[in-house]
């Protein structure tokens, strides 16, 4: 992030060659993301002999997951997903520890700090007596604000010169173009070769799009000079 900020100072625009969408579209708006790792502690006890003496961290975590997922749509553009959980010691032990990773997606228009505060409150509240939660680590990627129309128009004209038409769309995935957008530099993303099904065994890249997409990118850079 620091290196990118150094190199783009004073730039008129940023063109990011992330993969093009499966439709061939480029991206003119991206959500930002936050990953929040947290843990819940409880009190261990024998699940058969004296379960009332325990306080289940898994039970408390389950309640927190429901509360976190209830934040979906609290503002337009906000999504929260707990995508990883682990915890417990054995089936006959009231769980003394559990942990999870939460994923937050947001737009440049959202009140990020307000949503993060709500997430922190859910994690830290005593969801079940004698349990507690805390955030272990959080890190994020910035959103890319909507690309000004004149930058998109330049790229579309360049694409037409080399023989293809292209539209723009928004996406929930984050990218380094969020850093440059945050600096106030107009940014357009997904100008690389067309592909799809990212992060899965079906992920692919259409090799036939390499040259025309590179040509359109070069022509757009020339038009920006």
């Amino acid at each position: 992030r620091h290196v990118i900020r150094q190199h783009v100072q004073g730039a008129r625009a940023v063109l990011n060659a992330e993969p093009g969408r499966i439709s061939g579209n480029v991206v003119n708006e991206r959500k930002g993301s936050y990953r929040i790792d947290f843990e819940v502690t409880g009190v261990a006890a024998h699940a058969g002999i004296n379960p009332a003496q325990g306080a289940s961290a898994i039970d408390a975590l389950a309640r927190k997951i429901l509360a976190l997922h209830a934040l979906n749509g609290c503002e337009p553009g906000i999504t929260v997903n707990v995508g990883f959980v682990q915890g417990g010691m054995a089936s006959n032990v009231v769980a003394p520890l559990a942990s999870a990773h939460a994923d937050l997606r947001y737009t440049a228009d959202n009140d990020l700090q307000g949503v993060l505060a709500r997430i922190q409150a859910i994690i830290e509240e005593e969801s079940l007596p004698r349990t507690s939660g805390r955030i272990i680590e959080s890190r994020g990627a910035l959103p890319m604000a909507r690309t000004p129309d004149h930058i998109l128009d330049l790229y579309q004209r360049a694409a037409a010169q080399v023989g293809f038409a292209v539209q723009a769309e928004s996406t929930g995935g984050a990218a380094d173009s969020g850093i440059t957008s945050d600096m106030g530099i107009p940014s357009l993303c997904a100008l690389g070769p067309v592909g799809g099904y990212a992060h899965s065994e079906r992920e692919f890249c259409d090799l036939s799009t390499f040259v025309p997409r590179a040509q359109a990118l070069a022509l757009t850079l020339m038009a920006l000079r």
Side-chain angles (χ1 to χ4, degrees):
R1 187 174 293 191
H2 176 68
V3 171
I4 290 172
R5 289 185 185 277
Q6 280 187 316
H7 282 279
V8 301
Q9 291 289 345
R12 293 180 59 188
V14 167
L15 306 176
N16 190 3
E18 284 266 346
R21 303 293 91 179
I22 194 168
S23 62
N25 287 352
V26 295
V27 169
N28 64 346
E29 188 175 18
R30 285 184 179 274
K31 287 187 176 183
S33 68
Y34 248 87
R35 171 176 156 172
I36 303 161
D37 300 353
F38 64 99
E39 69 177 17
V40 181
T41 57
V43 180
H46 193 291
I49 299 172
N50 55 347
Q53 292 181 13
S56 173
I58 291 177
D59 187 332
L61 174 60
R63 297 169 191 240
K64 293 182 189 299
I65 291 171
L66 291 175
L68 289 169
H69 282 189
L71 293 176
N72 278 295
C74 64
E75 294 181 21
I78 291 291
T79 61
V80 180
N81 178 65
V82 177
F84 174 84
V85 297
Q86 64 180 6
M89 296 172 59
S91 61
N92 65 339
V93 179
V94 177
L97 184 67
S99 62
H101 301 165
D103 178 272
L104 165 67
R105 301 288 163 144
Y106 66 100
T107 72
D109 295 326
N110 290 131
D111 176 12
L112 173 61
Q113 295 308 315
V115 176
L116 288 175
R118 294 174 71 174
I119 290 173
Q120 182 176 356
I122 290 170
I123 290 171
E124 294 181 351
E125 70 180 345
E126 190 181 43
S127 304
L128 194 69
R130 296 181 293 145
T131 65
S132 62
R134 69 185 185 102
I135 294 174
I136 303 299
E137 184 181 4
S138 62
R139 53 192 179 276
L142 295 164
M144 187 188 91
R146 191 172 185 86
T147 306
D149 288 342
H150 72 278
I151 301 294
L152 177 59
D153 289 344
L154 284 177
Y155 181 79
Q156 289 175 320
R157 288 200 294 269
Q161 284 183 255
V162 296
F164 69 95
V166 63
Q167 300 298 319
E169 63 183 68
S170 62
T171 180
D176 288 339
S177 48
I179 301 170
T180 58
S181 175
D182 182 64
M183 296 173 66
I185 303 170
S187 302
L188 182 63
C189 203
L191 308 186
V194 174
Y197 306 116
H199 309 321
S200 77
E201 70 282 357
R202 299 172 64 196
E203 185 168 0
F204 76 94
C205 180
D206 182 351
L207 300 184
S208 70
T209 64
F210 261 88
V211 171
R213 302 281 284 208
Q215 290 172 325
L217 175 57
L219 288 170
T220 305
L221 287 170
M222 292 169 65
L224 284 165
R225 292 179 62 185

